[in-house]
Amino acid sequence: MANKTLFAGTPGKLLPRVDVVNAAGGAAYALPPRAALAQYTATGCLNGTFYADAQTQLAAVLALCAEVEPQFIAKTAIHARERGAMKDMPALLAAVLSVRAPVLLPAVFARVIDSPKMLRNFVQILRSGVVGRKSLGTAPKRLVQKWLDAASDLTLLNGSVGNEPSLADIVKMMHPRPVNPAREAFYGWLIGRNVDEAKLPDVVQQFERAKRGEGPAPKLDFRLMTGLPLTTAEWKALALGMSWTATRMNLNTLARHGVFADADDDIVEVIAARLRDPELVRKAKAFPYQVLVALRMARVEVPTKVREALQDALEIATGNVPAIAGRVVVCVDVSGSMGSPVTGYRAGATTAVTCREVAALLTVSLLKRNPLARVLPFDTALHEVALNPRDSLATNAARLATLGGGGTDLHLPLARLNMERASADLVVYVSDNQSWVDTRPATRPTATLREWALFKARNPAAKLVCVDLQPYADTQVAERGDILNVGGFGDSVMAVIARFAAGELSAAHWVGEIEKIPLQSSGL
């Protein structure tokens, strides 16, 4: 046998050298511009993260947009909205296109600006001036006008909730031409003018009567209803007509208004059945972390049956995780930076769920569908944890989320596998990938890539996936045929992992998936 001391460094000679310093101060590989833009768009909410503030993220995204072709910006915006359910970043990319390639904007606008919230985001970003203009301009105005014309009265009334800008602000800016007398009265009502109530659309008239306590409230956005003088019976009636998402988000409000006062009331069974309904959960496109938020925030006044239904919903929300053939190892980061909010810091609106908890959810979801998978939690050390695939996701995620808190050393799990001469077909990292403890000189590859080269020497068919939960433009392993760097924490990420593991993705991997997005209405 060859001398291990003499030849231990040989694999590293064939590996690329690091070319950037990451946000934590460690050596890393810069992602190519298109991959970096996709990463920011899939994980960024334009809020502060553990290592970077919101302004830094914004500057990075705008710089990347200047480096890639407009068609890729358009496809990335659509992918992030339709498959990733992101909000801020798709609206930002649409705003960038209004300056960079206006001809592409109609194709993106129709698919990205799909709600009053997204419309408000788009207008707010344009008016801020960050993309190079402070007014909407002819093409965006025409698209906003078309959106307002096509929106139903109910959509506009529900969309009147929110500000900066509010829907009323947009109407004042746009001076839209009403399509009929009822819409003309509605626009006047939105901006605070005195209008003849009889000329308003029926749903608005009903809402006005309910505000005066003169009749039942229509089925509207829950936030519109909280200021109405409703009795407990009316609150119960309102709860019975709520959507799955509205129910998940307003359990504490319902409890506060006495809806659950009688634990034996049929309404408890109705609400619980709604929350655990598989079809409704899938239709709501709920991220597992959103269900976890509701579960964590549910007050003691929320009945046990309802909280148990949320646990069932959590299982369903991760039910699309595919089974993966072969031996799977999941390396989950439990370091200190993973304790930051998964959607970033934002005054008054910071999520209660951390990157560590989302990483735990993704990990135990993979374990649930791949019960023989091995889980290796790490920070600056490897942690032992006993996970039972038959336990609930919430239980296993809670076990993982309590571990660690130190620095980040990504090479440790692979080093352990190499020390054991272990075999695997797929190794998945779930992390923010900001490794720094294992930093090497800039003339050498990262420790993680070196360990992967050693692992591949024994497992030539193995593949490595690094799932990044935060918006950074670098990685510890330069992408190649057997390595995938992907960002996000929704179902689409799991689907990409499964396809990559099965050899169904092109050499472009994740960027290739975005490239497949059609831009039909632009003729491209």
Side-chain angles (χ1 to χ4, degrees):
M1 180 181 290
N3 187 308
K4 291 183 179 180
T5 301
L6 290 177
F7 296 100
T10 301
K13 293 181 179 179
L14 304 177
L15 300 176
R17 297 177 178 180
V18 294
D19 54 14
V20 71
V21 175
N22 65 25
Y29 300 99
L31 291 171
R34 293 195 300 170
L37 180 62
Q39 166 67 22
Y40 270 98
T41 306
T43 59
C45 298
L46 296 178
N47 301 322
T49 63
F50 188 86
Y51 290 112
D53 59 24
Q55 195 62 41
T56 301
Q57 286 186 50
L58 175 61
V61 171
L62 294 177
L64 289 167
C65 285
E67 293 188 60
V68 304
E69 62 276 18
Q71 288 84 356
F72 186 75
I73 297 174
K75 293 177 180 184
T76 302
I78 293 169
H79 186 276
R81 182 61 185 153
E82 293 186 345
R83 303 186 188 180
M86 302 299 284
K87 298 181 180 68
D88 295 345
M89 284 296 184
L92 174 62
L93 297 188
V96 168
L97 286 173
S98 74
V99 176
R100 178 92 184 273
V103 68
L104 295 177
L105 184 58
V108 173
F109 196 92
R111 299 171 67 176
V112 168
I113 311 304
D114 56 3
S115 70
K117 168 63 175 172
M118 291 301 295
L119 183 71
R120 289 171 40 232
N121 284 354
F122 176 75
V123 173
Q124 178 187 4
I125 290 168
L126 275 184
R127 293 186 70 214
S128 72
V130 298
V131 299
R133 65 191 306 170
K134 287 194 174 183
S135 62
L136 267 66
T138 302
K141 276 187 176 180
R142 184 166 56 247
L143 290 169
V144 173
Q145 171 77 58
K146 184 178 179 180
W147 191 97
L148 291 171
D149 289 346
S152 68
D153 295 327
L154 181 59
T155 295
L156 292 180
L157 182 55
N158 282 331
S160 65
V161 176
N163 50 39
E164 296 183 0
S166 66
L167 192 59
D169 292 332
I170 293 176
V171 170
K172 289 177 183 177
M173 280 184 266
M174 296 298 304
H175 303 291
R177 289 188 291 273
V179 294
N180 54 49
R183 183 56 61 90
E184 181 179 12
F186 193 1
Y187 286 154
W189 178 87
L190 275 174
I191 64 177
R193 290 179 181 169
N194 291 323
V195 298
D196 183 351
E197 189 172 311
K199 294 182 179 179
L200 290 168
D202 290 342
V203 67
V204 184
Q205 291 186 43
Q206 190 178 357
F207 179 58
E208 283 295 309
R209 289 193 294 270
K211 285 162 63 177
R212 298 191 296 266
E214 296 174 359
K219 294 180 179 179
L220 298 174
D221 186 298
F222 194 77
R223 292 169 294 176
L224 283 170
M225 313 303 293
T226 55
L228 300 182
L230 303 179
T231 65
T232 299
E234 288 172 322
W235 274 104
K236 289 184 177 182
L238 182 62
L240 291 173
M242 291 170 65
S243 68
W244 186 92
T245 299
T247 303
R248 169 184 65 82
M249 295 177 64
N250 293 284
L251 292 173
N252 289 337
T253 302
L254 294 178
R256 189 167 61 251
H257 288 279
V259 172
F260 301 132
D262 182 358
D264 296 325
D265 197 322
D266 289 344
I267 196 169
V268 174
E269 297 291 345
V270 171
I271 296 298
R274 178 187 300 155
L275 289 172
R276 64 165 61 97
D277 185 309
E279 183 177 351
L280 293 179
V281 175
R282 283 190 286 269
K283 185 178 179 181
K285 298 180 180 178
F287 282 3
Y289 90 86
Q290 293 172 319
V291 184
L292 183 61
V293 169
L295 186 58
R296 283 188 49 186
M297 300 301 291
R299 299 167 63 91
V300 294
E301 292 83 2
V302 176
T304 300
K305 289 182 181 178
V306 174
R307 281 182 271 131
E308 289 176 345
L310 281 174
Q311 292 197 47
D312 294 338
L314 185 60
E315 301 281 341
I316 297 165
T318 54
N320 293 331
V321 175
I324 297 172
R327 294 156 296 185
V328 178
V329 178
V330 186
C331 312
V332 55
D333 186 350
V334 294
S335 66
S337 62
M338 294 289 284
S340 63
V342 70
T343 54
Y345 297 97
R346 184 171 61 179
T350 298
T351 180
V353 175
T354 65
C355 292
R356 188 181 296 130
E357 289 170 310
V358 171
L361 271 180
L362 293 179
T363 299
V364 297
S365 298
L366 282 166
L367 180 63
K368 196 82 171 179
R369 294 286 287 140
N370 304 274
L372 298 181
R374 181 178 180 182
V375 177
L376 294 175
F378 70 93
D379 48 18
T380 50
L382 291 174
H383 297 272
E384 299 297 330
V385 61
L387 300 177
N388 185 344
R390 296 189 178 186
D391 283 345
S392 71
L393 288 173
T395 298
N396 277 332
R399 289 190 184 120
L400 276 175
T402 59
L403 299 175
T408 309
D409 190 346
L410 252 72
H411 94 289
L412 285 177
L414 283 170
R416 169 67 66 83
L417 295 175
N418 285 330
M419 182 186 71
E420 297 174 353
R421 301 191 62 77
S423 298
D425 300 287
L426 178 68
V427 178
V428 179
Y429 272 86
V430 187
S431 172
D432 61 7
N433 286 308
Q434 294 300 293
S435 194
W436 59 272
V437 174
D438 53 347
T439 289
R440 289 176 172 271
T443 58
R444 306 179 68 179
T446 62
T448 307
L449 189 54
R450 286 175 60 84
E451 292 293 343
W452 177 245
L454 293 170
F455 187 84
K456 280 285 289 186
R458 295 193 325 278
N459 300 273
K463 294 185 177 181
L464 174 65
V465 176
C466 294
V467 180
D468 201 334
L469 301 181
Q470 292 278 265
Y472 301 110
D474 53 72
T475 177
Q476 287 297 294
V477 284
E479 192 157 300
R480 60 189 197 188
D482 60 335
I483 297 173
L484 170 66
N485 289 293
V486 62
F489 37 83
D491 287 345
S492 60
V493 172
M494 292 300 190
V496 169
I497 292 173
R499 292 189 60 202
F500 179 68
E504 297 175 1
L505 288 188
S506 67
H509 300 333
W510 187 33
V511 169
E513 290 293 285
I514 295 173
E515 286 280 20
K516 293 177 185 177
I517 299 289
L519 298 175
Q520 295 100 331
S521 63
S522 70
L524 298 178

mmCIF file of all heavy atoms in Angstrom, residues 151-180:
data_model
loop_
_atom_site.group_PDB
_atom_site.id
_atom_site.type_symbol
_atom_site.label_atom_id
_atom_site.label_comp_id
_atom_site.label_asym_id
_atom_site.label_seq_id
_atom_site.Cartn_x
_atom_site.Cartn_y
_atom_site.Cartn_z
ATOM 1 N N ALA A 151 -58.953 43.110 -12.007
ATOM 2 C CA ALA A 151 -59.184 42.628 -10.638
ATOM 3 C C ALA A 151 -60.660 42.712 -10.282
ATOM 4 O O ALA A 151 -61.358 43.671 -10.647
ATOM 5 C CB ALA A 151 -58.357 43.436 -9.653
ATOM 6 N N SER A 152 -61.141 41.727 -9.560
ATOM 7 C CA SER A 152 -62.531 41.739 -9.109
ATOM 8 C C SER A 152 -62.712 42.735 -7.969
ATOM 9 O O SER A 152 -61.743 43.163 -7.327
ATOM 10 C CB SER A 152 -62.945 40.347 -8.635
ATOM 11 O OG SER A 152 -62.247 40.001 -7.443
ATOM 12 N N ASP A 153 -63.981 43.088 -7.704
ATOM 13 C CA ASP A 153 -64.273 43.990 -6.584
ATOM 14 C C ASP A 153 -63.800 43.373 -5.269
ATOM 15 O O ASP A 153 -63.256 44.075 -4.403
ATOM 16 C CB ASP A 153 -65.777 44.279 -6.517
ATOM 17 C CG ASP A 153 -66.279 45.039 -7.729
ATOM 18 O OD1 ASP A 153 -65.517 45.852 -8.270
ATOM 19 O OD2 ASP A 153 -67.436 44.810 -8.137
ATOM 20 N N LEU A 154 -63.992 42.070 -5.124
ATOM 21 C CA LEU A 154 -63.579 41.398 -3.896
ATOM 22 C C LEU A 154 -62.064 41.436 -3.734
ATOM 23 O O LEU A 154 -61.548 41.680 -2.637
ATOM 24 C CB LEU A 154 -64.074 39.945 -3.901
ATOM 25 C CG LEU A 154 -63.739 39.096 -2.671
ATOM 26 C CD1 LEU A 154 -64.320 39.731 -1.412
ATOM 27 C CD2 LEU A 154 -64.240 37.667 -2.841
ATOM 28 N N THR A 155 -61.330 41.217 -4.831
ATOM 29 C CA THR A 155 -59.861 41.270 -4.776
ATOM 30 C C THR A 155 -59.388 42.650 -4.342
ATOM 31 O O THR A 155 -58.500 42.791 -3.498
ATOM 32 C CB THR A 155 -59.260 40.907 -6.138
ATOM 33 O OG1 THR A 155 -59.580 39.550 -6.445
ATOM 34 C CG2 THR A 155 -57.749 41.072 -6.134
ATOM 35 N N LEU A 156 -59.978 43.685 -4.913
ATOM 36 C CA LEU A 156 -59.570 45.045 -4.569
ATOM 37 C C LEU A 156 -59.940 45.401 -3.140
ATOM 38 O O LEU A 156 -59.160 46.062 -2.434
ATOM 39 C CB LEU A 156 -60.202 46.045 -5.537
ATOM 40 C CG LEU A 156 -59.698 45.995 -6.979
ATOM 41 C CD1 LEU A 156 -60.417 47.036 -7.829
ATOM 42 C CD2 LEU A 156 -58.195 46.216 -7.048
ATOM 43 N N LEU A 157 -61.105 44.963 -2.692
ATOM 44 C CA LEU A 157 -61.500 45.263 -1.310
ATOM 45 C C LEU A 157 -60.562 44.561 -0.333
ATOM 46 O O LEU A 157 -60.073 45.167 0.629
ATOM 47 C CB LEU A 157 -62.947 44.845 -1.071
ATOM 48 C CG LEU A 157 -63.521 45.144 0.318
ATOM 49 C CD1 LEU A 157 -63.375 46.618 0.685
ATOM 50 C CD2 LEU A 157 -64.977 44.704 0.409
ATOM 51 N N ASN A 158 -60.278 43.288 -0.574
ATOM 52 C CA ASN A 158 -59.323 42.577 0.283
ATOM 53 C C ASN A 158 -57.939 43.206 0.197
ATOM 54 O O ASN A 158 -57.202 43.269 1.174
ATOM 55 C CB ASN A 158 -59.241 41.104 -0.126
ATOM 56 C CG ASN A 158 -60.419 40.293 0.383
ATOM 57 O OD1 ASN A 158 -60.997 40.607 1.420
ATOM 58 N ND2 ASN A 158 -60.784 39.256 -0.350
ATOM 59 N N GLY A 159 -57.586 43.689 -0.995
ATOM 60 C CA GLY A 159 -56.276 44.291 -1.186
ATOM 61 C C GLY A 159 -56.135 45.672 -0.590
ATOM 62 O O GLY A 159 -55.029 46.227 -0.578
ATOM 63 N N SER A 160 -57.225 46.234 -0.079
ATOM 64 C CA SER A 160 -57.148 47.566 0.531
ATOM 65 C C SER A 160 -56.433 47.546 1.873
ATOM 66 O O SER A 160 -56.125 48.592 2.439
ATOM 67 C CB SER A 160 -58.550 48.160 0.683
ATOM 68 O OG SER A 160 -59.342 47.412 1.596
ATOM 69 N N VAL A 161 -56.175 46.342 2.402
ATOM 70 C CA VAL A 161 -55.409 46.204 3.633
ATOM 71 C C VAL A 161 -53.924 46.365 3.302
ATOM 72 O O VAL A 161 -53.427 45.824 2.317
ATOM 73 C CB VAL A 161 -55.636 44.823 4.276
ATOM 74 C CG1 VAL A 161 -54.766 44.655 5.508
ATOM 75 C CG2 VAL A 161 -57.099 44.645 4.634
ATOM 76 N N GLY A 162 -53.198 47.107 4.111
ATOM 77 C CA GLY A 162 -51.762 47.286 3.899
ATOM 78 C C GLY A 162 -51.443 48.690 3.427
ATOM 79 O O GLY A 162 -52.299 49.402 2.905
ATOM 80 N N ASN A 163 -50.188 49.087 3.621
ATOM 81 C CA ASN A 163 -49.794 50.437 3.230
ATOM 82 C C ASN A 163 -48.359 50.468 2.729
ATOM 83 O O ASN A 163 -47.712 49.445 2.597
ATOM 84 C CB ASN A 163 -49.972 51.407 4.415
ATOM 85 C CG ASN A 163 -49.344 50.893 5.696
ATOM 86 O OD1 ASN A 163 -48.266 50.300 5.663
ATOM 87 N ND2 ASN A 163 -50.011 51.101 6.823
ATOM 88 N N GLU A 164 -47.890 51.670 2.449
ATOM 89 C CA GLU A 164 -46.515 51.944 1.994
ATOM 90 C C GLU A 164 -46.119 51.203 0.720
ATOM 91 O O GLU A 164 -45.092 50.505 0.706
ATOM 92 C CB GLU A 164 -45.503 51.660 3.126
ATOM 93 C CG GLU A 164 -45.658 52.558 4.326
ATOM 94 C CD GLU A 164 -44.600 52.299 5.381
ATOM 95 O OE1 GLU A 164 -43.740 51.400 5.177
ATOM 96 O OE2 GLU A 164 -44.617 52.975 6.406
ATOM 97 N N PRO A 165 -46.817 51.374 -0.402
ATOM 98 C CA PRO A 165 -48.039 52.171 -0.543
ATOM 99 C C PRO A 165 -49.275 51.308 -0.310
ATOM 100 O O PRO A 165 -49.222 50.084 -0.438
ATOM 101 C CB PRO A 165 -47.967 52.616 -2.005
ATOM 102 C CG PRO A 165 -47.332 51.429 -2.684
ATOM 103 C CD PRO A 165 -46.318 50.897 -1.703
ATOM 104 N N SER A 166 -50.367 51.964 -0.004
ATOM 105 C CA SER A 166 -51.642 51.267 0.068
ATOM 106 C C SER A 166 -52.236 51.176 -1.333
ATOM 107 O O SER A 166 -51.778 51.851 -2.273
ATOM 108 C CB SER A 166 -52.602 52.024 0.986
ATOM 109 O OG SER A 166 -52.931 53.284 0.417
ATOM 110 N N LEU A 167 -53.273 50.368 -1.477
ATOM 111 C CA LEU A 167 -53.960 50.298 -2.763
ATOM 112 C C LEU A 167 -54.563 51.659 -3.105
ATOM 113 O O LEU A 167 -54.581 52.065 -4.281
ATOM 114 C CB LEU A 167 -55.035 49.221 -2.727
ATOM 115 C CG LEU A 167 -55.650 48.834 -4.072
ATOM 116 C CD1 LEU A 167 -54.596 48.324 -5.029
ATOM 117 C CD2 LEU A 167 -56.754 47.799 -3.878
ATOM 118 N N ALA A 168 -55.016 52.368 -2.095
ATOM 119 C CA ALA A 168 -55.545 53.716 -2.317
ATOM 120 C C ALA A 168 -54.466 54.636 -2.861
ATOM 121 O O ALA A 168 -54.712 55.457 -3.757
ATOM 122 C CB ALA A 168 -56.116 54.271 -1.012
ATOM 123 N N ASP A 169 -53.235 54.517 -2.349
ATOM 124 C CA ASP A 169 -52.127 55.327 -2.859
ATOM 125 C C ASP A 169 -51.883 55.044 -4.343
ATOM 126 O O ASP A 169 -51.618 55.964 -5.130
ATOM 127 C CB ASP A 169 -50.850 55.038 -2.072
ATOM 128 C CG ASP A 169 -50.915 55.511 -0.627
ATOM 129 O OD1 ASP A 169 -51.646 56.480 -0.365
ATOM 130 O OD2 ASP A 169 -50.239 54.900 0.220
ATOM 131 N N ILE A 170 -51.968 53.755 -4.709
ATOM 132 C CA ILE A 170 -51.735 53.389 -6.109
ATOM 133 C C ILE A 170 -52.824 53.973 -6.993
ATOM 134 O O ILE A 170 -52.554 54.475 -8.092
ATOM 135 C CB ILE A 170 -51.663 51.857 -6.244
ATOM 136 C CG1 ILE A 170 -50.419 51.327 -5.519
ATOM 137 C CG2 ILE A 170 -51.646 51.437 -7.705
ATOM 138 C CD1 ILE A 170 -50.307 49.820 -5.497
ATOM 139 N N VAL A 171 -54.069 53.938 -6.527
ATOM 140 C CA VAL A 171 -55.178 54.523 -7.298
ATOM 141 C C VAL A 171 -54.956 56.021 -7.476
ATOM 142 O O VAL A 171 -55.178 56.584 -8.554
ATOM 143 C CB VAL A 171 -56.527 54.230 -6.625
ATOM 144 C CG1 VAL A 171 -57.656 55.031 -7.266
ATOM 145 C CG2 VAL A 171 -56.843 52.734 -6.693
ATOM 146 N N LYS A 172 -54.513 56.690 -6.419
ATOM 147 C CA LYS A 172 -54.248 58.133 -6.520
ATOM 148 C C LYS A 172 -53.138 58.415 -7.520
ATOM 149 O O LYS A 172 -53.179 59.392 -8.269
ATOM 150 C CB LYS A 172 -53.862 58.688 -5.143
ATOM 151 C CG LYS A 172 -54.997 58.751 -4.144
ATOM 152 C CD LYS A 172 -54.484 59.245 -2.788
ATOM 153 C CE LYS A 172 -55.592 59.258 -1.740
ATOM 154 N NZ LYS A 172 -55.080 59.679 -0.407
ATOM 155 N N MET A 173 -52.114 57.560 -7.545
ATOM 156 C CA MET A 173 -51.003 57.747 -8.472
ATOM 157 C C MET A 173 -51.418 57.493 -9.915
ATOM 158 O O MET A 173 -51.011 58.210 -10.828
ATOM 159 C CB MET A 173 -49.860 56.777 -8.122
ATOM 160 C CG MET A 173 -48.974 57.177 -6.977
ATOM 161 S SD MET A 173 -47.637 55.959 -6.836
ATOM 162 C CE MET A 173 -48.331 54.849 -5.643
ATOM 163 N N MET A 174 -52.220 56.468 -10.106
ATOM 164 C CA MET A 174 -52.499 55.990 -11.450
ATOM 165 C C MET A 174 -53.644 56.734 -12.133
ATOM 166 O O MET A 174 -53.700 56.783 -13.356
ATOM 167 C CB MET A 174 -52.858 54.495 -11.384
ATOM 168 C CG MET A 174 -51.730 53.615 -10.906
ATOM 169 S SD MET A 174 -50.300 53.670 -11.995
ATOM 170 C CE MET A 174 -51.044 53.193 -13.531
ATOM 171 N N HIS A 175 -54.583 57.282 -11.354
ATOM 172 C CA HIS A 175 -55.798 57.886 -11.922
ATOM 173 C C HIS A 175 -56.428 56.939 -12.949
ATOM 174 O O HIS A 175 -56.640 57.302 -14.115
ATOM 175 C CB HIS A 175 -55.487 59.237 -12.595
ATOM 176 C CG HIS A 175 -54.852 60.235 -11.690
ATOM 177 N ND1 HIS A 175 -55.535 60.821 -10.629
ATOM 178 C CD2 HIS A 175 -53.584 60.743 -11.669
ATOM 179 C CE1 HIS A 175 -54.718 61.655 -10.009
ATOM 180 N NE2 HIS A 175 -53.534 61.618 -10.598
ATOM 181 N N PRO A 176 -56.720 55.700 -12.525
ATOM 182 C CA PRO A 176 -57.227 54.723 -13.499
ATOM 183 C C PRO A 176 -58.599 55.134 -14.044
ATOM 184 O O PRO A 176 -59.414 55.727 -13.342
ATOM 185 C CB PRO A 176 -57.330 53.434 -12.674
ATOM 186 C CG PRO A 176 -57.488 53.895 -11.265
ATOM 187 C CD PRO A 176 -56.675 55.145 -11.154
ATOM 188 N N ARG A 177 -58.845 54.821 -15.317
ATOM 189 C CA ARG A 177 -60.154 55.094 -15.911
ATOM 190 C C ARG A 177 -61.088 53.954 -15.548
ATOM 191 O O ARG A 177 -60.845 52.804 -15.964
ATOM 192 C CB ARG A 177 -60.019 55.226 -17.426
ATOM 193 C CG ARG A 177 -59.305 56.504 -17.863
ATOM 194 C CD ARG A 177 -59.367 56.673 -19.376
ATOM 195 N NE ARG A 177 -58.542 55.667 -20.047
ATOM 196 C CZ ARG A 177 -57.241 55.845 -20.292
ATOM 197 N NH1 ARG A 177 -56.629 56.959 -19.915
ATOM 198 N NH2 ARG A 177 -56.564 54.904 -20.905
ATOM 199 N N PRO A 178 -62.143 54.233 -14.794
ATOM 200 C CA PRO A 178 -63.053 53.156 -14.356
ATOM 201 C C PRO A 178 -63.731 52.486 -15.543
ATOM 202 O O PRO A 178 -64.076 53.140 -16.536
ATOM 203 C CB PRO A 178 -64.070 53.882 -13.476
ATOM 204 C CG PRO A 178 -63.432 55.186 -13.116
ATOM 205 C CD PRO A 178 -62.555 55.547 -14.262
ATOM 206 N N VAL A 179 -63.918 51.177 -15.431
ATOM 207 C CA VAL A 179 -64.555 50.426 -16.510
ATOM 208 C C VAL A 179 -66.073 50.504 -16.446
ATOM 209 O O VAL A 179 -66.751 50.174 -17.412
ATOM 210 C CB VAL A 179 -64.103 48.947 -16.476
ATOM 211 C CG1 VAL A 179 -62.618 48.840 -16.786
ATOM 212 C CG2 VAL A 179 -64.406 48.302 -15.125
ATOM 213 N N ASN A 180 -66.623 50.944 -15.296
ATOM 214 C CA ASN A 180 -68.073 51.078 -15.158
ATOM 215 C C ASN A 180 -68.355 52.003 -13.971
ATOM 216 O O ASN A 180 -67.438 52.329 -13.188
ATOM 217 C CB ASN A 180 -68.747 49.710 -14.964
ATOM 218 C CG ASN A 180 -68.148 48.919 -13.810
ATOM 219 O OD1 ASN A 180 -67.986 49.438 -12.711
ATOM 220 N ND2 ASN A 180 -67.816 47.652 -14.063
#
